[in-house]
């Protein structure tokens, strides 16, 4: 017996049919008008026409409920966004990048539609990367028992991306209510689908995954699409499992306004896609089945014409973004410490190792904020807590709902952290971003995207994430176990980077990171986890503000600026020189790289007039190059000698201890550099 579908040309109310025709006509009018703005040099520099995807896009927007659901559209989802509730004005504001653009005030590429206050999320241009964010939101929905689904929409070629596989694997493994919609028009820009995958339907690539339902539909047909998307939502809600909707579409135009599809599609195909115009088909059905008269449809079309005309005028008179605003919403305000404004203390209790300071602070903050979560690789196995046991005992105390293992997929770890923090601003996520910092590179796409989010959304979304990375060498780890990556990470605006050297600072910076809004990368010098050198008394409530360096040793003859593993070496060298010659070297432990405490550094330079920058990373393009440039630009007249640097050689890190010693900084290298500067 054939199941009766909810929507058909015969049984759908006239009111609803008319509303759909209005939305589809409005969407097509804006889709066709968008390129004219570019021709007139008004804007819309990027436009990906959706014509040919009309049925599935109408359906996604109609089934989406902004009160309960979340929607992640992609750059072709103009009608999806209109169907979900965006007005013609809001679409044009986005297209011509006006300050009134609800997606982010013109801070993102045109044709990237969003309305965060309605849970229509601002996503980046990295095709398909938002699938991971959708999974993160789905995880939050499940943990908070929220009745709703997440819609993640994309083209079929984006499914070739590795993080899409990670997302769907994670959604099935965790059994999350996520509906992945593949709008299949047969092309990835100019690359035909046959060059992307062996299966004719890309959804079939996922058929072996447990708990995954796959629904196929005709994305050109309004009714088939409505029934399919509604079925997907109801199934995801009822079973708390993911669904793929594979929608067969056609692309009537070029991929975008920078693409010429006649260069790779023949005339027969171009004529074929025009014949299958979904809007024209829907219009014919309304008349053929006598649901609407020609005059009634013309009245709707006239209404749409006036709506677009009015929206166009509003767009032309809307304010442009203020150039002075580019520094707004780069990072949210950090948590402010009232008790420890300078990040120092005089506590004299028992000394604790750096790893103890981290472990105890993690537990204390989990008790402080019940909306805190941690996941990563190996962090929640019986008595084990991460490869170095930093999170030991956490799952036993806080349970599997808050402390759990992730797949060995760094992009998944980062991307779902981004997504989960979207669900509620109270949520704080800590991730062990990789087993070792050197293995973080697969997550860089998600890391970079997350650094943009607060700025791109004009402050509407803050990714409240602490990314823990065990960093640095001096363990004989070699490649992918001992490299420093902070020099690369500090080039990205929108993220804080901290690198403590002592147990108290590790605890204080971690607490501040976990209480702050925005993303912080927390670099942990793993060689110091259990080293007595790094052990200190640690106040239970200690907090270290971002951007506050700490003077580890006062001096007047030379300044050393350092952080991480080399801090202890610099203090030892300074003590040795004081004994030998009476020369007093000031050692500044930066603690925080971004933001950087320029004031403390420049004040010290003004006092000593000579500077040595020491860090474990390579000298060439290491973070010390930025410190050196800053000092040279802002305190050149105070220098009695060139700024000198000590760091690793411009080679990979050696595994053999003999090679490692030759590559990394050590006391002897620092001592020699200090002597040279003092004698300059």
């Amino acid at each position: 017996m054939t199941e009766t579908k909810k929507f058909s040309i015969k049984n759908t109310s006239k009111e609803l049919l008319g509303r759909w025709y209005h939305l589809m006509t409005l969407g097509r009018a804006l889709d066709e008008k968008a390129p004219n703005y570019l021709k007139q040099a008004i804007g819309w520099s990027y436009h990906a026409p959706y014509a040919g995807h009309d049925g599935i896009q109408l359906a996604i927007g109609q089934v989406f409920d902004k009160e309960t659901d979340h929607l992640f559209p992609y750059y072709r989802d103009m009608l999806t966004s209109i169907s979900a509730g965006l007005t013609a004005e809001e679409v044009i504001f986005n297209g011509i990048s006006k300050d009134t653009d609800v997606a982010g005030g013109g801070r993102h590429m045109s044709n990237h539609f969003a309305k965060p206050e309605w849970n229509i999320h601002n996503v980046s241009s990295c095709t398909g990367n938002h699938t991971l964010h959708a999974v993160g939101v789905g995880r939050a929905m499940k943990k908070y028992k929220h009745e709703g689904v997440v819609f993640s929409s994309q083209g079929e070629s984006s499914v070739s991306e590795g993080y899409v596989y990670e997302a769907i694997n994670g959604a099935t493994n965790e059994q999350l209510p996520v509906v992945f919609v593949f709008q299949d028009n047969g092309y990835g820009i100019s690359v035909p689908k046959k060059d992307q995958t062996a299966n004719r339907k890309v959804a079939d690539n996922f058929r072996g995954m447990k708990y995954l339902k796959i629904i196929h539909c005709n994305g050109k047909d309004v009714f088939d699409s409505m029934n399919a998307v509604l079925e997907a939502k109801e199934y995801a809600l009822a079973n708390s499992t993911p669904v793929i909707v594979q929608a067969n579409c056609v692309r009537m135009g070029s991929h975008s306004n920078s693409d010429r599809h006649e260069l790779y599609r023949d005339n027969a195909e171009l004529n074929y896609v025009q014949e299958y115009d979904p809007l024209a088909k829907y219009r014919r059905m309304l008349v053929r089945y006598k649901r609407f008269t020609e005059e009634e449809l013309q009245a709707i079309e006239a209404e749409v014409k006036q709506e677009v005309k009015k929206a166009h005028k509003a767009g032309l008179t809307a304010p442009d973004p203020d150039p002075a605003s580019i520094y707004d919403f780069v990072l949210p305000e950090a948590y402010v410490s009232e008790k420890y404004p300078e990040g120092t203390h005089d506590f004299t209790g028992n000394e604790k190792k750096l790893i103890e300071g981290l472990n105890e602070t993690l537990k204390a903050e989990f008790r402080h904020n019940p909306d805190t979560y941690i996941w990563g690789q190996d962090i929640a196995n019986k008595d084990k807590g991460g490869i170095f046991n930093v999170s030991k005992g956490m799952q036993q105390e806080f349970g599997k709902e808050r402390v759990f293992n992730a797949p060995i997929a760094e992009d998944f770890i980062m991307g779902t952290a981004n997504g989960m923090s979207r669900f509620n601003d109270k949520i704080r996520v800590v991730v062990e971003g990789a087993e070792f910092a050197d293995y973080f590179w697969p997550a860089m796409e998600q890391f970079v995207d997350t650094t943009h989010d607060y700025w791109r959304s004009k402050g509407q979304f803050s990714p409240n994430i602490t990314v823990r990375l065990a960093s640095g060498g001096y363990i004989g780890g070699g490649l992918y176990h001992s490299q420093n990556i902070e020099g690369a990470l500090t080039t990205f605006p929108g993220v804080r980077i901290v690198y403590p050297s002592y147990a108290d600072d590790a605890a204080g910076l971690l607490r501040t990171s976990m209480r702050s809004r925005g993303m912080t990368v927390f670099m942990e010098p793993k060689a110091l986890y259990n080293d007595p050198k790094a052990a200190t008394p640690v106040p239970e409530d200690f907090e270290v503000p971002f951007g506050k360096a700490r003077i580890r040793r006062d001096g007047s003859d030379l300044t050393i600026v350092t952080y991480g593993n080399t801090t202890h070496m610099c203090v030892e060298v300074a003590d040795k020189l004081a004994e030998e010659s009476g020369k007093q070297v000031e050692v500044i432990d930066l603690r925080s790289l971004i933001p950087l405490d320029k004031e403390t550094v420049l004040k010290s330079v003004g006092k000593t007039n000579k500077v040595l920058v020491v860090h474990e990373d390579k000298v060439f393009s290491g973070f010390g190059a930025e410190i050196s440039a800053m000092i040279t630009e802002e305190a050149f007249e105070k220098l009695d000698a060139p700024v000198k640097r000590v760091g690793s050689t411009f080679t990979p890190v050696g595994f053999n201890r003999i090679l490692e010693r030759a590559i990394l900084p050590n006391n002897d290298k620092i001592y020699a550099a200090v002597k040279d500067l003092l004698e300059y």
Side-chain angles (χ1 to χ4, degrees):
M1 183 176 179
T2 305
E3 181 184 354
T4 303
K5 298 292 186 180
K6 180 174 181 179
F7 299 107
S8 72
I9 186 63
K10 293 181 178 180
N11 67 11
T12 305
S13 71
K14 182 173 183 177
E15 180 188 4
L16 194 54
L17 292 173
R19 187 190 314 159
W20 290 351
Y21 187 66
H22 181 279
L23 290 169
M24 293 173 71
T25 306
L26 175 61
R28 188 64 70 85
L30 292 170
D31 200 41
E32 293 173 352
K33 187 176 181 62
N36 295 330
Y37 287 99
L38 179 61
K39 292 174 184 176
Q40 298 172 53
I42 296 172
W44 228 309
S45 58
Y46 178 79
H47 171 240
Y50 77 82
H53 295 231
D54 308 55
I56 189 62
Q57 291 199 9
L58 175 81
I60 298 169
Q62 289 295 283
V63 176
F64 163 75
D65 183 343
K66 71 182 189 318
E67 301 299 329
T68 58
D69 300 334
H70 288 253
L71 171 60
F72 289 83
Y74 81 121
Y75 53 77
R76 201 179 299 282
D77 267 319
M78 179 189 284
L79 180 55
T80 301
S81 303
I82 293 169
S83 179
L86 263 68
T87 65
E89 287 186 3
E90 289 170 336
V91 169
I92 290 175
F93 290 158
N94 175 276
I96 59 178
S97 304
K98 291 295 183 175
D99 190 52
T100 45
D101 166 33
V102 293
R107 290 170 172 237
H108 199 7
M109 215 170 171
S110 51
N111 238 76
H112 289 65
F113 307 107
K115 193 165 185 175
E117 66 173 304
W118 282 8
N119 298 328
I120 304 174
H121 290 266
N122 184 313
V123 306
S124 84
S125 302
C126 292
T127 180
N129 86 320
H130 57 273
T131 53
L132 288 168
H133 306 162
V135 171
V137 173
R139 177 188 292 154
M141 282 184 167
K142 186 169 184 177
K143 289 190 181 297
Y144 287 90
K145 296 179 172 56
H146 176 85
E147 190 76 9
V149 302
V150 188
F151 290 99
S152 175
S153 176
Q154 62 196 101
E156 88 289 339
S157 294
S158 66
V159 176
S160 298
E161 292 283 6
Y163 41 70
V164 177
Y165 283 85
E166 293 177 19
I168 297 173
N169 175 63
T172 57
N173 185 44
E174 298 182 42
Q175 299 178 54
L176 304 176
V178 183
V179 177
F180 300 95
V181 182
F182 299 164
Q183 299 184 39
D184 185 350
N185 63 31
Y187 282 96
I189 307 183
S190 64
V191 180
K193 185 168 52 177
K194 66 181 178 62
D195 293 343
Q196 297 271 357
T197 183
N199 279 315
R200 192 170 68 87
K201 302 289 187 181
V202 293
D204 292 339
N205 294 344
F206 302 91
R207 282 210 171 271
M209 290 187 174
K210 194 175 181 180
Y211 305 120
L212 178 66
K213 184 177 180 64
I214 298 175
I215 299 171
H216 291 273
C217 75
N218 180 357
K220 304 182 294 296
D221 183 82
V222 170
F223 303 105
D224 198 34
S225 296
M226 282 295 304
N227 288 319
V229 176
L230 183 62
E231 179 189 355
K233 178 175 179 176
E234 289 177 345
Y235 187 90
L237 279 172
N239 298 280
S240 187
T241 51
V243 182
I244 290 176
V245 175
Q246 165 93 35
N248 181 40
C249 306
V250 292
R251 201 184 76 198
M252 293 173 60
S254 291
H255 167 76
S256 67
N257 49 8
S258 60
D259 174 48
R260 293 175 57 194
H261 65 163
E262 67 273 11
L263 298 177
Y264 53 88
R265 302 171 87 176
D266 59 32
N267 288 333
E269 182 182 350
L270 293 175
N271 291 333
Y272 165 83
V273 297
Q274 292 299 323
E275 290 173 7
Y276 278 83
D277 181 349
L279 177 58
K281 176 190 174 185
Y282 182 64
R283 192 185 194 285
R284 289 194 299 269
M285 289 181 72
L286 293 176
V287 175
R288 184 187 311 132
Y289 285 88
K290 298 181 179 181
R291 302 305 309 273
F292 279 81
T293 65
E294 183 69 32
E295 291 75 20
E296 287 174 320
L297 294 181
Q298 289 175 358
I300 293 174
E301 291 160 2
E303 183 183 337
V304 166
K305 190 174 182 180
Q306 289 302 312
E307 191 174 343
V308 173
K309 186 176 181 180
K310 180 182 177 183
H312 170 70
K313 289 182 178 179
L316 294 184
T317 57
D320 291 316
D322 182 357
S325 72
I326 60 172
Y327 298 107
D328 298 336
F329 305 109
V330 176
L331 268 171
E333 289 297 317
Y335 172 78
V336 177
S337 175
E338 296 181 1
K339 188 173 181 180
Y340 303 97
E342 298 300 316
T344 57
H345 64 89
D346 55 8
F347 182 67
T348 57
N350 295 330
E351 290 190 345
K352 294 181 179 178
K353 294 179 180 178
L354 193 145
I355 196 169
E356 292 177 291
L358 293 174
N359 181 266
E360 291 179 6
T361 303
L362 282 170
K363 291 175 179 175
E365 289 307 295
F366 265 65
R367 297 178 196 120
H368 172 76
N369 180 6
D371 295 299
T372 307
Y373 300 83
I374 185 170
W375 63 84
Q377 297 167 31
D378 297 305
I379 71 161
N381 294 307
K382 200 168 180 268
D383 294 326
K384 186 177 180 180
I387 196 72
F388 297 103
N389 281 331
V390 175
S391 56
K392 185 175 181 178
M394 291 194 66
Q395 192 180 72
Q396 289 88 327
E397 180 174 350
F398 303 106
K400 293 182 180 180
E401 286 297 306
R402 297 177 64 192
V403 182
F404 50 94
N405 290 318
I408 301 176
E410 291 77 12
D411 232 15
F412 179 83
I413 292 170
M414 270 301 304
T416 57
N418 179 309
M420 194 166 180
S421 65
R422 289 171 183 261
F423 183 72
N424 191 317
D425 195 59
K426 296 185 300 181
I427 292 175
R428 295 294 183 270
V429 175
V430 182
V431 292
E432 195 164 286
E435 295 273 26
F436 295 80
D438 326 33
Y439 285 121
F440 191 60
W441 300 119
M444 283 301 289
E445 183 277 330
Q446 286 295 334
F447 169 78
V448 173
D449 186 70
T450 303
T451 66
H452 296 168
D453 273 316
Y454 187 64
W455 193 88
R456 195 177 68 222
S457 67
K458 202 176 180 182
Q460 294 179 86
F461 163 58
S462 169
N464 302 326
I465 305 166
T466 299
V467 184
R468 292 182 43 245
L469 293 172
S471 184
Y474 301 101
I475 63 167
L479 296 174
Y480 291 102
H481 294 82
S482 292
Q483 297 173 94
N484 286 73
I485 68 170
E486 70 272 10
L489 301 186
T490 53
T491 65
F492 295 97
V495 61
R496 307 177 187 95
I497 314 285
V498 298
Y499 210 139
S501 311
Y502 292 84
D504 53 355
D505 286 347
L509 284 167
L510 183 58
R511 176 167 284 108
T512 302
S513 299
M514 292 175 68
R515 293 192 178 188
S516 293
R517 298 179 72 238
M519 181 166 65
T520 304
V521 173
F522 195 91
M523 314 294 288
E524 300 172 9
K526 56 184 176 285
L528 297 177
Y529 277 146
N530 291 293
D531 194 326
K533 291 180 187 176
T536 66
V538 183
E540 287 186 1
D541 60 349
F542 192 44
E543 300 160 346
V544 177
F546 299 122
K548 287 283 187 180
R550 189 167 180 175
I551 297 175
R552 292 291 172 187
R553 192 183 188 285
D554 290 313
S556 57
D557 296 305
L558 182 142
T559 298
I560 298 180
V561 182
T562 186
Y563 59 90
N565 281 315
T566 53
T567 302
H568 303 276
M569 301 175 194
C570 293
V571 172
E572 289 164 3
V573 167
D575 289 342
K576 180 179 178 181
L577 279 163
E579 288 181 18
E580 290 179 353
S581 63
K583 295 289 186 180
Q584 299 300 318
V585 174
E586 184 151 290
V587 179
I588 297 176
D589 178 2
L590 289 177
R591 303 192 291 188
S592 172
L593 308 186
I594 305 293
L596 178 66
D597 187 354
K598 294 167 61 173
E599 182 182 354
T600 295
V601 172
L602 295 175
K603 183 178 179 181
S604 181
V605 172
K607 178 173 61 172
T608 67
N609 311 116
K610 293 181 179 181
V611 187
L612 176 67
V613 180
V614 180
H615 58 57
E616 186 182 345
D617 197 10
K618 301 171 191 70
V619 170
F620 188 85
S621 290
F623 186 67
E626 184 60 35
I627 301 169
S628 177
M630 181 266 292
I631 293 169
T632 302
E633 287 179 3
E634 301 190 31
F636 180 77
E637 72 284 353
K638 298 176 182 177
L639 294 172
D640 292 338
V643 178
K644 194 173 181 65
R645 288 176 285 158
V646 173
S648 292
T649 57
F650 195 57
T651 64
V653 179
F655 175 72
N656 183 287
R657 291 280 190 175
I658 297 171
L659 296 177
E660 185 185 61
R661 281 195 294 272
I663 291 165
L664 295 174
N666 57 40
N667 288 36
D668 292 340
K669 294 177 184 178
I670 297 167
Y671 179 85
V674 172
K675 290 282 285 184
D676 285 348
L677 271 175
L678 288 173
E679 294 169 3
Y680 188 85

